[in-house]
Amino acid sequence: MEEKLLIDQLISIQKQQLVSFHVPGHKNGNIFKKVPYKNFNEVLINLDTTEIPGTDNLHNAKGVINEAQERASHLLGSKKTFFLVNGSTSGIYSMIMATTKPGDKIVIGRNCHNSVINALMLADCVPVYLFPEIDHENGLALEISAEHVEDVIIRHPDVKAVVLTYPTYHGIACNLKKIAEVVHKYDKILLIDEAHGAHLGLSNQLPLPALQCGADVVVQSTHKTLPAFTQSSMLHVQGNRIDLDKLKFMLRLNQSSSPSYLLLASLDYAMFVYQYYGKQLMGELLENIKYFKKRMSQFEGVSFLRADPYKKDLYTVDPTKLWINLHRLGVSGVELEAELRNNYAIQMELSNLYGALAIGTIGNEKKDFQRLADALEEIVDKKRWTSNHIQYPTYKMAIPKGFLTPREALYKEKQIMHLDDAEGRISGTSIIPYPPGIPILMPGEIINKEIIDYIKIINKAGTEVVGLQGETNLRIEVIK
Ligand SMILES: Cc1ncc(COP(=O)(O)O)c(C=O)c1O
């Protein structure tokens, strides 16, 4: 049998010419047509190199890499910027490990990415959770308020730092300026996972970038919303609360000793695009999104995630993240995502029971939004006759009780059992609907009935739930 290499599969997908509403932000390389730099995309293979005279060294940058990092730092307004080649994941590990000691308490948003939980295992920290508000119409986490942050710090005055996701995967941006004031009033460190917000500085119609809100460390996945290659990210520092030598050590510890020059060069290219073309391209993108929403506005039953006008002081929504909800027409988000891919060659970023997320970036074109609007019009038209509202049980984000720290749980003996028998047991693993990668159970937490029921519902609805085991995905790892 002829072997099919991974390359073959990627080429065959590329031949389908899918419209990309997913990451990476360069949109199948389309940005290179808009902003060609030399013939970067054609000579990539020749540029894959290592540390030789003239190429500098990421882990001790003094030459061209240092200059590129300084350009980015100047452009984005940090005191110091570090390029990352192991994704925001490595930046999140490093910022937490550089600002805590084993046993320290750290405040984290419950809607954090899995990398934050893994960082707690590495750093051996004790989590104290902040609970976001929930949007029950869309099944999404909303804002975390400054009052909530203050309340938790008052109740746990020994916490070292506060870690928040800003904006969320779905574009919710809490009032970070106010939160930064609170965190600094109590002399704590504010660490921001801005994986989904590398583009925020490109328009004043977008939420304020985390650096401008006053965060001490900000980690951005440049690859998600700007035109850098997958895994290419940045970590920015400002102010005097961070020990830079410790941070540099942690960056070396958490990253490859052979960083890819393709990734590094793509970060510098992304900054070049940002500086000289970014605002204009973002203006065009926002116009295209307005056009798309206007076309959709005539259809009852199609809704988008919008900021609640009564909660203006609590959060805003990044308009480049389009959360499309058709569930009032009897179409779940999972079905919508599959329909768009299978029948219209449009690939969304993710979906849940309620809606599907399109990520627009400066790599997209007006024709992408036309294709999406055409497809949705057809889908809505077919569904008009069956307008029965799907009723899902509401998940109240009932936070399970923590019994062990994530690191304690990591090293305990485990066993696998059926979910139905797991009530009252301690979870040995994270259970994460993916995407968006937000844990609903963390290692060391007690499994309750509500969580078991919810896991079964989303599993049945076709959401991928990472952490479950067995053929039917109904088994879970617990502490023996
Ligand atoms: C909120 C959030 N933070 C961090 C990450 C990790 O980013 P990366 O893929 O760059 O490692 C992700 C990835 O999806 C994410 O969604």
Side-chain angles (χ1 to χ4, degrees):
M1 203 178 75
E2 207 194 320
E3 281 179 303
K4 189 173 183 189
L5 301 190
L6 179 53
I7 296 173
D8 301 318
Q9 175 67 1
L10 296 179
I11 291 173
S12 96
I13 291 178
Q14 187 242 332
K15 280 190 181 145
Q16 294 169 24
Q17 300 201 327
L18 301 174
V19 175
S20 168
F21 281 111
H22 57 90
V23 302
H26 56 70
K27 303 290 171 171
N28 304 327
N30 192 51
I31 195 77
F32 290 106
K33 292 185 199 142
K34 296 189 193 199
V35 187
Y37 185 79
K38 309 288 159 76
N39 53 349
F40 183 36
N41 53 332
E42 285 154 33
V43 295
L44 280 179
I45 198 81
N46 315 83
L47 304 185
D48 187 24
T49 184
T50 187
E51 290 85 1
I52 54 173
T55 61
D56 204 5
N57 176 349
L58 176 66
H59 296 298
N60 185 23
K62 293 193 168 118
V64 281
I65 296 177
N66 185 47
E67 285 163 25
Q69 291 183 145
E70 284 190 348
R71 272 197 293 278
S73 165
H74 184 69
L75 188 58
L76 303 179
S78 74
K79 172 170 133 186
K80 186 96 190 133
T81 287
F82 299 94
F83 283 3
L84 307 173
V85 291
N86 293 67
S88 287
T89 300
S90 62
I92 288 168
Y93 292 174
S94 303
M95 73 180 180
I96 292 178
M97 292 169 81
T99 50
T100 58
K101 291 195 299 298
D104 277 348
K105 274 191 193 167
I106 183 163
V107 180
I108 66 174
R110 182 70 187 192
N111 56 331
C112 68
H113 184 256
N114 195 32
S115 55
V116 175
I117 303 307
N118 293 344
L120 300 187
M121 288 182 184
L122 291 167
D124 198 7
C125 290
V126 182
V128 179
Y129 293 110
L130 293 162
F131 305 122
E133 292 298 317
I134 301 283
D135 175 343
H136 294 292
E137 280 282 299
N138 293 292
L140 302 178
L142 289 177
E143 83 280 5
I144 288 174
S145 69
E147 284 71 23
H148 186 21
V149 175
E150 181 154 23
D151 181 54
V152 167
I153 296 179
I154 290 171
R155 282 191 289 117
H156 300 271
D158 50 342
V159 296
K160 265 287 167 60
V162 175
V163 185
L164 288 175
T165 312
Y166 173 95
T168 65
Y169 217 134
H170 305 88
I172 304 291
C174 56
N175 189 337
L176 195 59
K177 221 170 169 184
K178 214 164 153 197
I179 290 176
E181 281 163 20
V182 166
V183 172
H184 292 152
K185 179 166 113 189
Y186 293 92
D187 207 18
K188 310 295 176 197
I189 299 169
L190 183 59
L191 307 175
I192 295 299
D193 170 1
E194 203 180 41
H196 295 281
H199 61 295
L200 293 184
L202 290 177
S203 166
N204 56 14
Q205 293 178 49
L206 303 174
L208 209 57
L211 276 174
Q212 288 180 39
C213 295
D216 298 295
V217 184
V218 177
V219 173
Q220 298 176 323
S221 292
T222 319
H223 64 97
K224 292 190 197 296
T225 57
L226 289 176
F229 296 155
T230 299
Q231 285 188 212
S232 316
S233 296
M234 291 191 204
L235 182 149
H236 310 287
V237 181
Q238 72 178 340
N240 300 316
R241 292 183 184 84
I242 307 301
D243 177 342
L244 284 178
D245 289 332
K246 196 167 171 203
L247 178 64
K248 280 185 202 162
F249 176 81
M250 293 304 172
L251 287 169
R252 279 200 298 280
L253 184 139
N254 287 310
Q255 295 200 93
S256 169
S257 59
S258 310
S260 157
Y261 276 85
L262 301 184
L263 303 192
L264 295 171
S266 83
L267 281 168
D268 200 22
Y269 170 78
M271 288 296 98
F272 162 76
V273 175
Y274 188 102
Q275 181 168 9
Y276 297 107
Y277 303 87
K279 288 201 166 135
Q280 180 208 326
L281 292 175
M282 179 54 73
E284 286 164 22
L285 172 68
L286 293 171
E287 277 310 305
N288 293 338
I289 289 172
K290 271 189 204 138
Y291 149 87
F292 168 75
K293 282 193 167 166
K294 192 157 176 237
R295 264 185 74 179
M296 286 297 105
S297 64
Q298 53 183 311
F299 294 100
E300 239 187 304
V302 181
S303 71
F304 298 102
L305 189 63
R306 286 175 207 280
D308 181 339
Y310 296 104
K311 287 186 159 190
K312 269 209 305 277
D313 287 343
L314 288 173
Y315 74 94
T316 52
V317 178
D318 172 359
T320 66
K321 308 285 193 310
L322 282 164
W323 177 255
I324 304 170
N325 181 326
L326 300 189
H327 98 276
R328 286 185 183 275
L329 300 172
V331 185
S332 78
V334 178
E335 285 165 345
L336 175 62
E337 183 181 1
E339 173 87 356
L340 287 169
R341 170 66 191 261
N342 299 336
N343 296 326
Y344 298 93
I346 295 172
Q347 181 60 56
M348 303 290 269
E349 171 70 13
L350 60 88
S351 57
N352 73 8
L353 299 176
Y354 303 82
L357 180 71
I359 294 186
T361 75
I362 57 173
N364 283 109
E365 305 284 351
K366 180 159 188 186
K367 64 176 167 27
D368 299 340
F369 290 94
Q370 282 165 338
R371 284 268 297 273
L372 185 59
D374 292 346
L376 284 169
E377 280 175 14
E378 258 186 57
I379 294 169
V380 169
D381 211 38
K382 271 190 263 165
K383 294 288 170 186
R384 199 171 284 157
W385 306 108
T386 63
S387 50
N388 48 346
H389 184 175
I390 311 171
Q391 285 291 354
Y392 297 119
T394 310
Y395 179 53
K396 290 194 214 71
M397 218 190 224
I399 304 301
K401 286 203 172 73
F403 193 79
L404 300 172
T405 66
R407 188 178 173 101
E408 282 166 348
L410 176 69
Y411 290 109
K412 291 275 181 214
E413 264 195 74
K414 319 260 174 32
Q415 70 182 99
I416 312 274
M417 59 167 52
H418 197 280
L419 261 182
D420 286 337
D421 303 323
E423 189 180 343
R425 301 296 298 256
I426 301 170
S427 178
T429 185
S430 303
I431 298 295
I432 315 165
Y434 207 89
I438 296 171
I440 51 176
L441 258 180
M442 312 263 195
E445 291 182 341
I446 299 173
I447 304 165
N448 63 34
K449 171 96 172 53
E450 199 175 359
I451 284 181
I452 294 174
D453 290 344
Y454 184 68
I455 292 174
K456 283 170 145 179
I457 290 166
I458 54 177
N459 194 24
K460 208 166 158 195
T463 303
E464 189 188 359
V465 187
V466 172
L468 293 179
Q469 311 215 11
E471 268 180 32
T472 48
N473 258 347
L474 286 174
R475 295 174 75 76
I476 185 167
E477 189 181 62
V478 299
I479 307 287
K480 247 188 187 175

